[in-house]
Amino acid sequence: MNKKLELIEELESSVRSYVRSFPTVFTKARGYKMWDEDGKEYIDFFSGAGALNYGHNEPAMKKKLVDYILEDGVAHSLDMATDAKVAFMEKFRDVIMKPRDMDYKIMFPGPTGTNTVESALKIARKMTGRTDIVSFTNGFHGMTIGALSVTGNSMKRKGAGIPLNNTVTMPYDTFVEDEVDTLDYFERFLDDNGSGVAIPAAVIFETVQGEGGINAASIEWMQRLERICRDWGIVLIVDDVQAGVGRTGTFFSFEPAGIKPDVVCLSKSIGGYGLPLAITLIKPELDQWKPGEHNGTFRGNNMAFVTATEALTYWEDPNFEKSIQEKSETVKNFLEDMVAKYPEMKGFRKGRGLMQGISSDIEGFSEKVAEHAFERQMIMETAGGHDQVFKLFPPINIDEEGLQAGLEVLELSIQDALESMNLKEKETAK
Amino acid sequence: MNKKLELIEELESSVRSYVRSFPTVFTKARGYKMWDEDGKEYIDFFSGAGALNYGHNEPAMKKKLVDYILEDGVAHSLDMATDAKVAFMEKFRDVIMKPRDMDYKIMFPGPTGTNTVESALKIARKMTGRTDIVSFTNGFHGMTIGALSVTGNSMKRKGAGIPLNNTVTMPYDTFVEDEVDTLDYFERFLDDNGSGVAIPAAVIFETVQGEGGINAASIEWMQRLERICRDWGIVLIVDDVQAGVGRTGTFFSFEPAGIKPDVVCLSKSIGGYGLPLAITLIKPELDQWKPGEHNGTFRGNNMAFVTATEALTYWEDPNFEKSIQEKSETVKNFLEDMVAKYPEMKGFRKGRGLMQGISSDIEGFSEKVAEHAFERQMIMETAGGHDQVFKLFPPINIDEEGLQAGLEVLELSIQDALESMNLKEKETAK
Amino acid sequence: MNKKLELIEELESSVRSYVRSFPTVFTKARGYKMWDEDGKEYIDFFSGAGALNYGHNEPAMKKKLVDYILEDGVAHSLDMATDAKVAFMEKFRDVIMKPRDMDYKIMFPGPTGTNTVESALKIARKMTGRTDIVSFTNGFHGMTIGALSVTGNSMKRKGAGIPLNNTVTMPYDTFVEDEVDTLDYFERFLDDNGSGVAIPAAVIFETVQGEGGINAASIEWMQRLERICRDWGIVLIVDDVQAGVGRTGTFFSFEPAGIKPDVVCLSKSIGGYGLPLAITLIKPELDQWKPGEHNGTFRGNNMAFVTATEALTYWEDPNFEKSIQEKSETVKNFLEDMVAKYPEMKGFRKGRGLMQGISSDIEGFSEKVAEHAFERQMIMETAGGHDQVFKLFPPINIDEEGLQAGLEVLELSIQDALESMNLKEKETAK
Amino acid sequence: MNKKLELIEELESSVRSYVRSFPTVFTKARGYKMWDEDGKEYIDFFSGAGALNYGHNEPAMKKKLVDYILEDGVAHSLDMATDAKVAFMEKFRDVIMKPRDMDYKIMFPGPTGTNTVESALKIARKMTGRTDIVSFTNGFHGMTIGALSVTGNSMKRKGAGIPLNNTVTMPYDTFVEDEVDTLDYFERFLDDNGSGVAIPAAVIFETVQGEGGINAASIEWMQRLERICRDWGIVLIVDDVQAGVGRTGTFFSFEPAGIKPDVVCLSKSIGGYGLPLAITLIKPELDQWKPGEHNGTFRGNNMAFVTATEALTYWEDPNFEKSIQEKSETVKNFLEDMVAKYPEMKGFRKGRGLMQGISSDIEGFSEKVAEHAFERQMIMETAGGHDQVFKLFPPINIDEEGLQAGLEVLELSIQDALESMNLKEKETAK
């Protein structure tokens, strides 16, 4: 092992994880490419788990950022007013909210996904006077106790060291069986006053569950969920931290369903450049916080405001969404080809937009694909409770050439995995 | 009101707070100075609530940061290895831990104070198998449910919307009466198996409570607290998010007490430049996390690594701590002078290092001082449950001239407050 | 209103309830009959909500009880040994456990249903080291916080004034839709480690939910539930407080399913004469209590031991169960006749054994039936979250004549209700 | 071991406890005497842990009870009205409440101490909308989760298997040090809005802590506690389950302090004869229960109503309280004599009324005294977290002869203990 990785072993907590899957030291990055200290070039189809939707070091943002720093722009401002912050809010209103006929207050809850989720749960509980939050199986919302309470993963939940309470887990779309509408189940619990499940303060959900296994809710399911929330006076929270900011083909992932959440959580790619930023969008009538009732030191990360503002420029172009959707179609077709071409991996395609993957019924297969991809200098990840899905997260602004390059490596990696797991030959024999 | 502040009113959540105290739009900053859009210059004795201990846009860090960006250094890396991250860890070991004979694993728990606190509570509960955490009156540890549970402030606690459980609040040093050792109380609860208070997983405390009112624990109290933890097998956590990184005169605020916490939480100024970063230092024997048991998207904020690494250079100079301590002495003397010179404010000095202030028994007085200071173009804040303390947080590397300039404005602001509250004249009449 | 009822209005808490449905002052009772202070005779088809399965003041028990008191038998003994207690345990072993091939330790947890449930939950949590309990929709287990946490009724749950935690509610048999096996849901939640539902310490359920609406679980459902518990190492608790002691036709209500619960809760009719008594049966390997870890002042209610022991004599006769089953069949046929004969009440039969009723889809109908029955001097009750079921709880040792008398009054009351709600004429018109 | 004790070993849960301290089988009892199956006579200075304040099988109650049963009085009535219940309420009003100028609603919450405590906590939370309850170190309130949450004993708390939440433990009178007024702590926590302790729904306390070590609060402490509750709008609950019904010399134990609790919990001796009964007294303005919001099968234990009513006859005689107080004085003098006469036991007297004992600083001494007492055919118990107190609970209507007989045995048992622990001779040698 090299010196630097040894130093990590010596000094870094055992909690570290991605460095174990991608054991090299990265030094440089641009667009969909990364380079390690030996100059080896990697294709990055992981995109910072969705925090780098525009790729690494996007040139326009980079320029604005360097200029801002060189001019001694304010770096850190808590929630004082700065030019950079006001510019971001204005552009977010004009480029994102107005064209979508949206009216939200913008809250800066601290610069991470878990922070925006915690703020969303708080305001929902405060405004309803109720305590329970309904979340869904295989949801992933964060690692702090409030957000972890609505997260499904049992290993992460146990990490809390205390019972996680004031939440109820309902089955996500298709959780039980394909024929069953899982919202029947939810509604039955609400209807019956002897069900043991109180009317919750809020429902929180992801339209596509990234960590949970690239599970995509159907349009109808989301629409019915919204109706249920309206009928019962439940605050509807969409956690769009990972699926938002274009990842599924529209700025907000819920746009195709035509729903209007009461609260929207954004983080990851909202900063544009991979810098920590999170915002909570709250319907004005719900925004009844007292000043400072929720706060945080890094609410005012101005460098992130600068790059976030520049990133919104992409959305001024009406063709941008279309281009993501076209690439999504390419990925979809490619993955369905793979499923058909390699039946021995017992796979099926999952997901939406540039948040797709293949779930394999063969234990360990998807992990194997990701391992071989890394050998072939591509970075990609698995998802799901048993790592049963290998998933593609290319930048949403990737060019055709880059996308094809990645897909080619992926097919080779599938072949590698079939071979190394002795699945290919068996199949051939057949 | 100007256009930009109107836009904030229109778009930003009602939770915003500092913009209400400092209603102007800042555009530039350097060292202890800030400028607003009209070019007005402000003295900043607030320092980002302790996140800007080295002042704004420190030149050496700025250079490294710009170079890094220009070279397409990796901006965002989750917990993959990067050059920037390894360099930080190595320098932290060599400059901070080794000379202090410290041996800790470094965890990157997500880039905010509340995140490091949540990770500390988790590992303490996991390693002890116990659920309760003991925190102290007027402690402040963060806004996410886990950290909020150990935070004293009742307004913030109510914001949770749920009962905050699995914690016990003990009286901080001098909370009850000056003559009482509050640890007698704590120890009595531990000793008696009918006390209703279980042996906790951990004790978490700040050596100087910044938000809680600039309350400084005595050396003896801290030492006794450590002994109690050792005697009962309780994990000792120091939340050094605000008091650490030199704020009280040494890198870690607990150094003068000679105690060895099991876990140390750092954030705010650890990044050097005001960029989001947090680390959790964990004694190797406690560092039994499973890979990924706690994670977060912005663990790998490489720009913050770059500035954090450069910031550590300050600590290579043995005179640096001395210079902070000298300035602390200056502040101390100045504040005691103020108390003596203006008895009508019924004040007494509080705090340690460059984390001092005056608590006034006159309702509203301290807020008035801060208001007048802002009129005089100085930014400073109040603290305590009733905002009874006005506090000084100058950069720790401020020069003599800057320090004096600030103290002068402060004295004038005290005079202003006495006048505007009609306290001065009454006193004169006496 | 009479003097005594006025006095109740003046002095008794507003929490009182049955006195509102049955507003008279009772003075005497025997078998299935009660008399009020004016000498009016009532048929009691309520049986103390299942606490008077042998009817009022059963002569053989009465004799033993009076003799015991006259001989200065020990009345109250905590958990010291008394003759009366030992005699009960011995007979319970010989008459109940041995013939059924059961091996349990007998715990006396305090003399009420809620107490036996609390003790069951404690031992399950202690022995598994887990915190969650799975209960079922419309389950009813008691009013103290532990038992209330596993009770479904929302009005009662809100009465707690705190969130009720460490429990998960799963759908009882047929809760969602008739075609769905609700245990598919439960098993799916257990199977998926991202479901947000941890493997619970225990499952607690009633084989027939009395308060919840006379819902009877099918034999197959109970058997599958037991298998699930075995597969996952979950403690299986049957709360047989109401359905046990012969109410459904066998001593334990779960006997027809052939399942072997780990813990069985008994109270109500176990005392025989309506005297407070409860026992918790625990499989020997689970019975790892420390002495006194759960205690209570009235564990040793010796008068109840005396009547409980005598009551067991009924079970020495192999024909006793058969006779209950025959009467159950009579009730079943009668109720199905009613449903067919009076389609305008939109009813369907529910329940098992002498724990049956009719659920009416017409709002308020079932309550009306019970009201008219009381006018006709019969005491009977409604059940279910919307009081949609009128139910029959005659003594299990009632004679044919008594049973017929009650059923006749019931039919008349149904007719009364149809008439007073104008349902009969509408139907006739049709 | 005899057959019957063997049978208990075979069949009864390991949770049993008193049978281990008093290993014989009792068959008969009267007044302060009990007899075992071998005809051995015991002096009972334990009185069912306070449930037999009138001694065993008090003749007047016995007669009423037998008559009631023989006349087929209603045994079990839930909360329907019965003659026996109305008679009890009327006499309780006339004999107890009226002469003491008390106005309470009477709630029947289920027949055990833990039930009345749970109902008290519920109504306090409901009426205030707050969740926390303040209880005190070494308080004992019951074994169900709600009551256990306010109980101090760590072994019992751990028995819950879940964290016990929504409660805060404050130091009972003299808990910390003799000079400190522990209510200073409590008030300080309430005063400071950064204390982490919310204004609670209620305070619950015992005037003399029986299980916790016979700790008696001073009159001044109770009065100050009442004032604090009034000042902050906190519901004041006195748990008089053990100390009430004459045990300390007045009917309610708090009468000497002149305080007026909002809620009073009574059980144990309220039934008179050792039969399960509990009542919750609630100030009319707080009694806002919905019908059935708290219920229970054995609310209507009519035999207990009959004996409870008869027991109140004692309180019609103004000399009854005086006689208890005189006996209390006798016990007090005797115990102080013992302390003085046997300094080698390092004891000091504790308690009030007929609820007194000696706390010995010598580990194991008090248990030894109780053991030797049992050898000498006297039943008495220890108390406190380390069983450091041996306590006397004679019937409150015991005659002079009985009292002297018991005290004589006690002195001999002290001598036995000193001898068997080799303390006497050491002392003599001195």
Side-chain angles (χ1 to χ4, degrees), chain A residues 22-163:
Chain A
F22 312 123
T24 191
V25 179
F26 295 98
T27 54
K28 242 183 85 169
R30 187 134 213 195
Y32 64 87
K33 291 182 183 167
M34 298 187 79
W35 291 268
D36 70 10
E37 55 179 351
D38 302 322
K40 277 173 78 173
E41 182 179 304
Y42 295 81
I43 294 176
D44 181 5
F45 265 35
F46 176 28
S47 296
L52 292 163
N53 281 359
Y54 307 96
H56 293 271
N57 298 331
E58 200 272 350
M61 299 184 212
K62 175 174 164 180
K63 189 181 176 327
K64 295 275 168 141
L65 177 60
V66 168
D67 289 351
Y68 187 78
I69 299 170
L70 289 174
E71 285 161 15
D72 279 334
V74 180
H76 175 280
S77 61
L78 291 151
D79 64 358
M80 296 189 282
T82 62
D83 234 20
K85 175 176 178 171
V86 171
F88 168 72
M89 292 174 76
E90 193 170 12
K91 195 160 179 184
F92 189 81
R93 180 193 61 187
D94 295 342
V95 176
I96 303 300
M97 295 206 290
K98 270 197 188 157
R100 287 166 181 79
D101 195 24
M102 282 176 162
D103 183 18
Y104 288 106
K105 291 283 183 175
I106 305 171
M107 175 182 179
F108 299 95
T112 66
T114 201
N115 249 305
T116 168
V117 168
E118 296 258 351
S119 71
L121 304 186
K122 278 187 189 177
I123 197 68
R125 283 168 167 147
K126 174 175 175 152
M127 294 305 292
T128 58
R130 304 180 201 136
T131 55
D132 281 4
I133 307 288
V134 160
S135 58
F136 290 92
T137 52
N138 287 301
F140 184 97
H141 302 285
M143 287 295 104
T144 52
I145 294 299
L148 189 52
S149 297
V150 288
T151 291
N153 186 286
S154 68
M155 186 266 270
K156 310 250 187 227
R157 289 179 74 86
K158 273 182 204 154
I162 46 170

Side-chain angles (χ1 to χ4, degrees), chain A residues 4-5 7-20 22 24-30 34 46 48-49 51-52 56-57 62 65-66 69-76 78-83 85-86 89-90 93 97 104-108 111-112 114-115 118 122 125 130-131 140 143-146 148 155-156 159-162 166 267-268 273-277 287-295 297-299 301 303, chain B residues 4-5 7-20 22 24-30 34 46 48-49 51-52 56-57 62 65-66 69-76 78-83 85-86 89-90 93 97 104-108 111-112 114-115 118 122 125 130-131 140 143-146 148 155-156 159-162 166 267-268 273-277 287-295 297-299 301 303:
Chain A
K4 289 182 181 167
L5 291 179
L7 193 136
I8 280 180
E9 193 125 310
E10 175 201 336
L11 289 174
E12 192 174 357
S13 164
S14 64
V15 82
R16 69 193 183 279
S17 74
Y18 287 121
V19 67
R20 301 175 194 264
F22 312 123
T24 191
V25 179
F26 295 98
T27 54
K28 242 183 85 169
R30 187 134 213 195
M34 298 187 79
F46 176 28
L52 292 163
H56 293 271
N57 298 331
K62 175 174 164 180
L65 177 60
V66 168
I69 299 170
L70 289 174
E71 285 161 15
D72 279 334
V74 180
H76 175 280
L78 291 151
D79 64 358
M80 296 189 282
T82 62
D83 234 20
K85 175 176 178 171
V86 171
M89 292 174 76
E90 193 170 12
R93 180 193 61 187
M97 295 206 290
Y104 288 106
K105 291 283 183 175
I106 305 171
M107 175 182 179
F108 299 95
T112 66
T114 201
N115 249 305
E118 296 258 351
K122 278 187 189 177
R125 283 168 167 147
R130 304 180 201 136
T131 55
F140 184 97
M143 287 295 104
T144 52
I145 294 299
L148 189 52
M155 186 266 270
K156 310 250 187 227
I162 46 170
N166 301 304
S267 183
K268 292 200 186 254
Y273 207 75
L275 300 179
L277 184 64
D287 181 54
Q288 307 283 332
W289 292 104
K290 286 185 213 159
E293 200 171 358
H294 180 100
N295 61 16
T297 296
F298 295 114
R299 281 166 290 177
N301 184 11
M303 294 191 197
Chain B
K4 290 181 181 168
L5 292 179
L7 194 137
I8 280 181
E9 194 124 309
E10 176 201 335
L11 289 173
E12 192 172 359
S13 164
S14 64
V15 82
R16 69 193 182 279
S17 74
Y18 288 122
V19 67
R20 301 175 196 263
F22 312 122
T24 193
V25 178
F26 295 98
T27 53
K28 246 185 81 170
R30 187 134 213 195
M34 298 187 81
F46 176 29
L52 292 164
H56 293 273
N57 297 331
K62 174 174 163 181
L65 177 59
V66 169
I69 298 170
L70 289 174
E71 284 161 15
D72 280 334
V74 180
H76 175 279
L78 290 154
D79 64 356
M80 298 189 281
T82 63
D83 234 19
K85 176 177 177 170
V86 171
M89 292 175 76
E90 194 171 13
R93 180 193 61 189
M97 293 205 291
Y104 289 106
K105 291 283 184 176
I106 304 171
M107 174 181 181
F108 299 95
T112 66
T114 201
N115 248 306
E118 295 259 351
K122 278 187 187 177
R125 282 167 166 147
R130 304 181 201 136
T131 55
F140 185 97
M143 286 296 103
T144 51
I145 294 299
L148 189 52
M155 187 267 272
K156 310 249 188 228
I162 46 170
N166 301 304
S267 183
K268 292 200 187 252
Y273 206 75
L275 301 178
L277 185 63
D287 181 54
Q288 306 285 331
W289 293 102
K290 286 185 213 160
E293 199 171 358
H294 180 102
N295 61 15
T297 296
F298 295 114
R299 280 165 292 177
N301 184 10
M303 295 191 196

Side-chain angles (χ1 to χ4, degrees), chain C residues 142-328:
Chain C
M143 286 295 104
T144 52
I145 295 298
L148 189 53
S149 297
V150 289
T151 291
N153 186 287
S154 67
M155 187 267 271
K156 311 249 187 229
R157 289 177 75 85
K158 275 183 201 152
I162 46 170
L164 296 172
N165 283 317
N166 301 304
T167 58
V168 174
T169 319
M170 285 288 155
Y172 194 73
D173 193 14
T174 77
F175 179 70
V176 184
E177 277 172 53
D178 278 358
E179 317 83 77
V180 177
D181 185 341
T182 56
L183 291 175
D184 285 351
Y185 279 97
F186 183 23
E187 209 157 22
R188 192 70 189 82
F189 273 97
L190 294 174
D191 270 337
D192 192 316
N193 66 14
S195 72
V197 172
I199 308 309
V203 157
I204 185 166
F205 86 108
E206 302 151 282
T207 63
V208 184
Q209 297 181 321
E211 302 304 308
I214 313 293
N215 312 309
S218 73
I219 298 298
E220 297 71 32
W221 191 88
M222 291 191 261
Q223 289 169 340
R224 183 176 174 195
L225 183 58
E226 184 189 46
R227 275 199 309 277
I228 292 173
C229 288
R230 297 295 164 250
D231 288 351
W232 291 94
I234 300 167
V235 174
L236 178 63
I237 304 169
V238 172
D239 177 344
D240 230 11
V241 167
Q242 188 169 83
V245 192
R247 177 53 60 191
T248 65
T250 48
F251 186 83
F252 295 106
S253 70
F254 51 81
E255 293 180 51
I259 63 174
K260 299 273 181 203
D262 298 301
V263 180
V264 181
C265 298
L266 289 176
S267 183
K268 291 198 186 256
S269 281
I270 188 66
Y273 206 76
L275 302 179
L277 185 64
I279 64 179
T280 313
L281 302 177
I282 305 172
K283 281 203 177 156
E285 60 272 24
L286 285 179
D287 181 53
Q288 306 284 331
W289 292 103
K290 286 184 213 160
E293 199 172 359
H294 180 101
N295 61 16
T297 296
F298 295 114
R299 282 165 290 178
N301 184 11
N302 285 274
M303 294 191 197
F305 290 144
V306 169
T307 54
T309 306
E310 180 56 28
L312 295 178
T313 306
Y314 274 92
W315 302 91
E316 291 175 338
D317 175 359
N319 288 318
F320 186 51
E321 294 198 346
K322 211 169 295 173
S323 76
I324 307 171
Q325 290 158 15
E326 284 163 8
K327 282 174 275 193
S328 304

